[in-house]
Amino acid sequence: MRPSEADHRKRGFAPVVDANTRLLILGSLPGEASLATGQYYGHPRNAFWRLVGGAVGRPDLADLAYEARLDVLRAHGVGLWDVIAEAVRVGSLDTAIRLPVHADLKTLIASLPRLQAVAFNGGKAAKEGDRVLGPDTGAFRRLALPSSSPALAKPLAWKAEYWAIIGEFSVPPPRTS
C-alpha cells in the first residue's frame, strides 16, 4: 500500500515573536527531528542555536533548555517562524518540499512595530520568502543567510561569518542587579 499525500503533509509551528521583535528569522519548514520534538531546529546537528547564540553574544544558547532558548531570543528582539506553513515532504530536505502553503508573512510582519530585518535561513527560505513578500520596499532589511542545516556541508566558522550580521539587530536584555 502506497502512502498517501496526507501521510507526508507537514505543518510548521506558531511564530515566536512579540512586540519587541526587531529581527525575524525565517526558515523553510521544520524537518522531521524538529517536528518530532515540537521544537524549532530540533535536529542535534543543526547549527542554528550555536550560530544565533554566537551572533547575539550568548554562546551558551545551544546548552539551554528549549523554552529558555526562546526566552533569550525574545529578550534579544529575535523572532522565529517559517516561510512555509505546510507542505508535502518525505524526509527533511528542502528539495523534497511539494505543494507548499505559505505562511501569512505579510500579516505577521505588519504586526511587528519594531521590525528592522528579516533573515532567511537558507536558499529555499529566501526564495519562497521573496515570493511571498514581493518586491523589496525598503521597510526592513532582507538578509539571505546560509542554511544552518547539516545538509549544507560547510564548516560552522564559515556559516558564523555570515550569521554574525544578525547581531546588529539584536538588543541585549536589560541588566539586573
Side-chain angles (χ1 to χ4, degrees):
M1 181 175 193
R2 245 175 78 174
S4 71
E5 176 184 302
D7 293 332
H8 296 292
R9 182 151 289 279
K10 310 296 193 271
R11 287 178 180 74
F13 306 129
V16 175
V17 295
D18 62 26
N20 295 314
T21 299
R22 293 165 42 115
L23 168 70
L24 179 60
I25 301 174
L26 296 169
S28 55
L29 180 71
E32 296 290 339
S34 295
L35 293 169
T37 61
Q39 299 178 0
Y40 280 101
Y41 304 99
H43 193 289
R45 289 187 47 228
N46 192 302
F48 177 82
W49 297 107
R50 288 177 287 164
L51 292 167
V52 172
V56 302
R58 285 297 305 262
D60 65 329
L61 187 62
D63 300 326
L64 301 177
Y66 181 69
E67 288 302 322
R69 291 179 202 171
L70 297 181
D71 289 343
V72 168
L73 290 187
R74 283 188 286 263
H76 281 82
V78 177
L80 295 177
W81 205 23
D82 289 302
V83 173
I84 299 170
E86 65 179 77
V88 172
R89 182 178 63 201
V90 176
S92 296
L93 295 177
D94 283 352
T95 55
I97 293 174
R98 303 286 181 262
L99 305 172
V101 175
H102 294 100
D104 190 357
L105 300 179
K106 288 182 179 181
T107 298
L108 179 69
I109 287 170
S111 76
L112 302 173
R114 292 186 171 85
L115 188 72
Q116 295 180 1
V118 172
F120 298 106
N121 183 357
K124 181 74 168 182
K127 179 181 173 187
E128 296 293 324
D130 282 342
R131 180 178 296 156
V132 172
L133 295 175
D136 189 346
T137 64
F140 51 86
R141 282 187 60 191
R142 294 186 192 188
L143 309 169
L145 303 174
S147 176
S148 63
S149 167
L152 178 60
K154 294 284 188 180
L156 180 63
W158 180 87
K159 291 179 182 184
E161 285 182 40
Y162 290 92
W163 279 75
I165 193 168
I166 70 172
E168 294 178 23
F169 304 98
S170 167
V171 179
R175 291 188 176 182
T176 56
S177 344

